[in-house]
Amino acid sequence: MTARLLVTLTLVLGSVAFGELVGPRGSRLYDDAVQAAAGVAAAWVCVAAANRRGGVQRRWRLLAGIGLGGWALMRVYWVARDVTDPGWVSATVPDVGFLVLPVFLLFGLLNVPYSRPRPAGTSPRRDQIALLIDSVLICGSLLALAWSAIPDRVLSWAGQTPAAIGMAAAYAISDLLLLTMVVLLLATRPSSRAARQPLYLSGVALLCFGVSDTLRLINLGDGPLSHGHASGYLFGCGFLALAALSRPAPADDPEPAGPERDWLHLLLPYVPVTTTGVVIALSTGPGNPLSPWEAYLGWLGLGLVVARQMFTIVDNTVLLDRVSEGRRRLHHQAYHDPLTGLANRALFRERLVRALDDHRHHGKPLAVLFADLDDFKLINDSFGHAMGDRVLRAIADRMVACISAEELVARLGGDEFAVVLDRHPDDAEPAGHRILAALREPFFIDGHRIGVGASIGLVAPEPGEPLTADALLRRADAAMYSSKRRGKGALARYAGTADGNADLPHLLAQALVTGGRPTGFEVYYQPIVRLHDGATVAVEALARWTLPGAGGSVHPDVFVTVAERTGQVAAIDDFVLNQACADAAALAAVYGRPIDVHVNVSAARLGQPGLEEAVQAALARHPLPPSRLIIEITETHRIGDLPAAAAAATRLRALGPRIALDDFGSGFNALAQLHSLPVDIVKLDSTLTDVDVTPERAGALCRSVLTICDSLDIVVVAEGIETSARATGLAALGCPLGQGYLFGQPAPLERLKSPVIPSQPGSASLRQLG
């Protein structure tokens, strides 16, 4: 299609140009006819090219085609008058129709800057007006300069009416204005070469029109169209058609790396203004005043400069507003949690520092609450992290509703929140209980009923006590863990010493000294028995921690959670692993034969550096056969990359130990893990072993798991056995091994003894673990 249009245009313009060269000179009829033919051909090419494009590329081509069509229609009118009245003189009013082309080209050029994404977001209408003002300003300056520089004798306007002179001048001025716009666009709008090609061709076309219109203006006295002036119109039509035929830049055409040359856009209009002002100032003086035309142009230029400066002032104001808004947004992002909109740790600390300063110097009351959501991981595992985020937002709203507007709620990270209260500790405690009560109310989201609990620690600085904000927060954290040790879902007030470092994470870090035996830690063992005859076939090694002095013991759930959050769980795992391997010989002596040793390892460590090395080192250090070591995968966190975890478990298994899947049935990817991980043993969670409470339902579940595991040659250990009835029921279902308080509570090595329970009549002989 493009080739056909190009061939048509070439034939038309070629024949016209040939006729112009050899045709009858001075024949206005012929000149008008060939210009009409060129205009019609160029208009047809522009419209046809527009129909094959969309958006801005279609719009400016269509505008150019309509303008050329109007211009050609006026030439047809002139041809008709030439035929009917060869001696006619062109009228001023109908000649206005020739301005259709520059008007439509003006609208087309105003669309050019927005044919591609702009580097900075600005109003298109603002850019259009600024471009028009700059073009008029430059055009007016050039006209004033030309008026001052061209001698009067060059112009041949004898016998012409002011209307005819004005109309001829309007053609040339409109060409100059449009050409100025093209130059501004090329100078200030960076783009690829392919994208700039239509502008280049349009500029050449306008230059051709401008040359002809200027020659016509200068030689106006010789007639409307002296021979030779028509060539510029023909070439102008041709180059406009070529601009319409130019192909748009491909999508992968690279843009210039730099931003728009706004500095050039700002300075370029004032270069001709300054030059014109200097020339006029030098050419005028005593006895040579400004002509009315020069004065008019001067006032017009001054007005345009003022208007342009107003645009610049508005731009600067908008830019400053955007910078200010950006700073406010960045400040809000720096000091607020993006999920809940609450204050983050940085803002909380700043507020706490100011509150401590007011408390110290002005005696203002101050209390801090530290809240940690209980078992929030289960919500993420059950409903997904998206639902967990929605719950966190709802929790934030409820916590904010429980305090005054002057007080601050912050999300410190994960499921940890803190509150700065401007009140006495005795008044702060009811606020903490209100928060607990609010969080106990279930959340109803997308038809799901979700329950959330929290443990809260309360702390207040003592009068005259030189506490820092970090020390006060650590005390609140310690009080929160004290609440968890009491059973979770409660509020505990800090009642420790004045030592600001006396908190659980700090004490845990002190206890887990690198290279030495952890302080206060010891290993307890719980037996795993054969349900057929009660013989102990294995023990599970469990970590226990006792605080120094009168601190008492810390519940395993509490210190394991702290260790995971502070990145210290590997040290506890490695300590238990090493101690269990060291106690293997003593355990064999207690039970009268070698037994297996189960050691818990956090699932998050699978595939992480250090685990495989720790297992190798423990086996090399102590005389425990590798096959007697059982690595229990404890899913305190969801296994993110199951294939990588399976590969790590396979490498561990290659070292000799076997792999057990702990708490099977309580996780949410239990079957997926059973399928993917190289598992030798499954430890059935206590929630699935209560066959003495719900024999039908629990029995059906246990029977299904036992069938699956038997098919996969996996041994099953039932956890949480506390009654003989439960042990009997599980044995009847075919479960080979069991573990629970019925057979013995976790105890240190020196208090272990082999439990014995009566054999179940009629039970089949079960395979042993190992």
Side-chain angles (χ1 to χ4, degrees):
M1 182 66 176
T2 302
R4 188 162 63 249
L5 291 175
L6 191 58
V7 169
T8 303
L9 178 66
T10 303
L11 291 176
V12 172
L13 293 181
S15 60
V16 168
F18 178 77
E20 181 71 11
L21 293 174
V22 303
R25 297 188 176 273
S27 172
R28 189 171 68 177
L29 173 61
Y30 181 80
D31 288 338
D32 290 341
V34 295
Q35 290 176 61
V40 170
W44 177 68
V45 169
C46 289
V47 173
N51 290 332
R52 293 184 290 109
R53 292 171 172 83
V56 173
Q57 299 293 336
R58 170 187 172 86
R59 191 158 53 246
W60 78 259
R61 286 173 169 84
L62 196 58
L63 289 171
I66 295 174
L68 284 168
W71 186 86
L73 188 61
M74 286 301 303
R75 291 301 179 193
V76 172
Y77 169 77
W78 277 31
V79 169
R81 292 299 303 269
D82 291 338
V83 172
T84 59
D85 186 8
W88 78 287
V89 179
S90 64
T92 302
V93 175
D95 286 355
V96 175
F98 285 114
L99 293 177
V100 171
L101 176 57
V103 168
F104 277 90
L105 289 180
L106 173 66
F107 287 111
L109 288 174
L110 288 177
N111 283 277
V112 170
Y114 321 107
S115 61
R116 63 181 183 81
R118 300 289 305 279
T122 57
S123 168
R125 183 62 54 83
R126 174 263 173 208
D127 277 0
Q128 289 171 338
I129 296 175
L131 176 63
L132 188 58
I133 290 177
D134 291 343
S135 301
V136 173
L137 186 60
I138 295 174
C139 181
S141 301
L142 295 176
L143 287 175
L145 187 62
W147 183 266
S148 302
I150 298 176
D152 294 339
R153 63 178 182 275
V154 175
L155 303 175
S156 178
W157 292 348
Q160 297 298 317
T161 64
I165 297 173
M167 186 58 61
Y171 301 151
I173 292 173
S174 63
D175 295 334
L176 179 61
L177 176 65
L178 295 176
L179 183 60
T180 303
M181 291 182 66
V182 170
V183 173
L184 277 177
L185 290 172
L186 289 172
T188 61
R189 298 293 193 274
S191 185
S192 64
R193 179 173 298 180
R196 294 161 69 90
Q197 185 178 4
L199 275 178
Y200 283 124
L201 294 172
S202 299
V204 174
L206 290 169
L207 182 61
C208 294
F209 276 107
V211 168
S212 288
D213 285 333
T214 302
L215 291 175
R216 176 186 178 188
L217 175 63
I218 294 174
N219 300 292
L220 193 59
D222 296 336
L225 279 176
S226 298
H227 186 79
H229 296 173
S231 301
Y233 299 125
L234 301 179
F235 284 111
C237 293
F239 279 107
L240 281 179
L242 290 176
L245 289 174
S246 60
R247 294 185 178 181
D252 57 350
D253 196 22
E255 295 283 348
E260 282 197 43
R261 295 183 284 273
D262 287 335
W263 62 270
L264 186 59
H265 199 180
L266 293 174
L267 294 179
L268 193 58
Y270 301 106
V271 173
V273 172
T274 304
T275 305
T276 302
V278 171
V279 171
I280 292 178
L282 293 176
S283 62
T284 58
N288 188 22
L290 291 175
S291 66
W293 171 250
E294 291 171 337
Y296 172 77
L297 286 178
W299 282 110
L300 176 62
L302 180 61
L304 291 173
V305 169
V306 172
R308 189 64 179 88
Q309 288 302 310
M310 292 297 295
F311 265 90
T312 303
I313 292 173
V314 171
D315 284 346
N316 291 338
T317 303
V318 172
L319 179 60
L320 289 175
D321 290 342
R322 289 181 179 177
V323 170
S324 178
E325 177 62 27
R327 287 179 176 176
R328 286 194 296 268
R329 191 182 302 112
L330 289 175
H331 183 272
H332 186 273
Q333 292 174 354
Y335 286 97
H336 289 81
D337 174 54
L339 176 63
T340 62
L342 297 177
N344 61 9
R345 184 179 289 272
L347 180 57
F348 174 81
R349 190 180 186 282
E350 285 190 9
R351 176 68 178 273
L352 185 56
V353 168
R354 291 199 302 268
L356 274 172
D357 187 67
D358 291 339
H359 171 78
R360 187 177 299 114
H361 296 97
H362 306 290
K364 292 186 65 173
L366 170 64
V368 176
L369 298 175
F370 190 99
D372 183 87
L373 304 181
D374 297 327
D375 303 320
F376 188 75
K377 180 181 78 73
L378 297 179
I379 295 177
N380 284 331
D381 290 343
S382 302
F383 303 101
H385 288 278
M387 178 66 76
D389 291 345
R390 296 177 64 182
V391 173
L392 286 173
R393 286 192 286 266
I395 289 171
D397 293 340
R398 289 192 184 181
M399 292 185 70
V400 170
C402 292
I403 64 171
S404 67
E406 293 77 18
E407 295 168 327
L408 180 72
V409 179
R411 181 181 178 221
L412 303 185
D415 54 2
E416 295 179 342
F417 297 82
V419 186
V420 177
L421 300 173
D422 301 327
R423 60 184 78 183
H424 191 272
D426 293 338
D427 298 325
E429 192 165 339
H433 285 295
R434 281 199 302 272
I435 292 175
L436 285 176
L439 296 184
R440 288 192 190 105
E441 293 294 324
F443 296 88
F444 294 93
I445 301 177
D446 292 344
H448 299 288
R449 184 179 187 274
I450 301 174
V452 178
S455 299
I456 297 180
L458 167 63
V459 67
E462 298 296 332
E465 189 176 15
L467 274 179
T468 65
D470 293 335
L472 193 65
L473 185 60
R474 285 198 298 267
R475 287 189 178 184
D477 189 39
M480 181 273 297
Y481 281 116
S482 176
S483 171
K484 283 189 179 291
R485 289 198 298 272
R486 297 176 187 176
K488 302 181 181 180
L491 183 143
R493 191 166 174 174
Y494 182 78
T497 64
D499 180 12
N501 292 326
D503 64 278
L504 207 58
H506 183 76
L507 290 174
L508 182 62
Q510 287 182 327
L512 299 173
V513 179
T514 303
R517 180 185 179 89
T519 304
F521 275 90
E522 55 183 329
V523 177
Y524 280 35
Y525 297 96
Q526 186 175 27
I528 298 173
V529 306
R530 198 166 48 212
L531 294 180
H532 172 62
D533 55 10
T536 299
V537 295
V539 292
E540 181 179 359
L542 302 166
R544 293 295 183 265
W545 184 33
T546 303
L547 293 175
S553 62
V554 183
H555 194 277
D557 288 345
V558 174
F559 72 75
V560 169
T561 300
V562 175
E564 288 178 338
R565 288 181 175 176
T566 56
Q568 301 175 98
V569 69
I572 298 177
D573 288 349
D574 293 348
F575 161 70
V576 175
L577 172 65
N578 184 72
Q579 190 62 44
C581 291
D583 291 342
L587 289 169
V590 169
Y591 294 106
R593 65 184 182 280
I595 60 172
D596 296 338
V597 179
H598 290 233
V599 176
N600 291 298
V601 170
S602 173
R605 294 191 64 194
L606 282 179
Q608 298 297 320
L611 176 59
E612 297 170 36
E613 292 79 0
V615 171
Q616 284 181 311
L619 291 173
R621 193 179 297 119
H622 306 289
L624 175 67
S627 60
R628 290 287 180 185
L629 177 61
I630 314 297
I631 303 296
E632 287 193 12
I633 306 302
T634 304
E635 191 187 4
T636 53
H637 289 84
R638 177 184 290 270
I639 298 177
D641 190 347
L642 200 55
T650 301
R651 292 193 298 270
L652 281 174
R653 204 162 176 256
L655 299 176
R658 283 170 288 167
I659 304 298
L661 195 59
D662 197 14
D663 297 328
F664 184 84
S666 64
F668 302 95
N669 280 334
L671 289 177
Q673 293 173 358
L674 192 64
H675 171 70
S676 301
L677 298 176
V679 176
D680 300 286
I681 301 163
V682 161
K683 300 190 74 175
L684 201 58
D685 188 74
S686 58
T687 57
L688 300 180
T689 60
D690 55 347
V691 293
D692 53 332
V693 179
T694 56
E696 294 183 1
R697 187 175 185 84
L701 289 173
C702 286
R703 192 178 298 108
S704 299
V705 173
L706 288 167
T707 301
I708 293 173
C709 291
D710 183 70
S711 301
L712 298 175
D713 198 25
I714 296 175
V715 177
V716 177
V717 179
E719 296 181 307
I721 301 178
E722 299 181 358
T723 65
S724 298
R726 182 171 299 185
T728 302
L730 289 168
L733 290 172
C735 184
L737 306 175
Q739 179 182 357
Y741 280 8
L742 176 65
F743 312 116
Q745 297 186 18
L749 180 62
E750 59 272 13
R751 296 210 309 263
L752 286 180
K753 61 180 180 179
S754 180
V756 177
I757 62 172
S759 300
Q760 306 302 322
S763 61
S765 176
L766 300 171
R767 58 188 170 191
Q768 297 184 2
L769 179 62

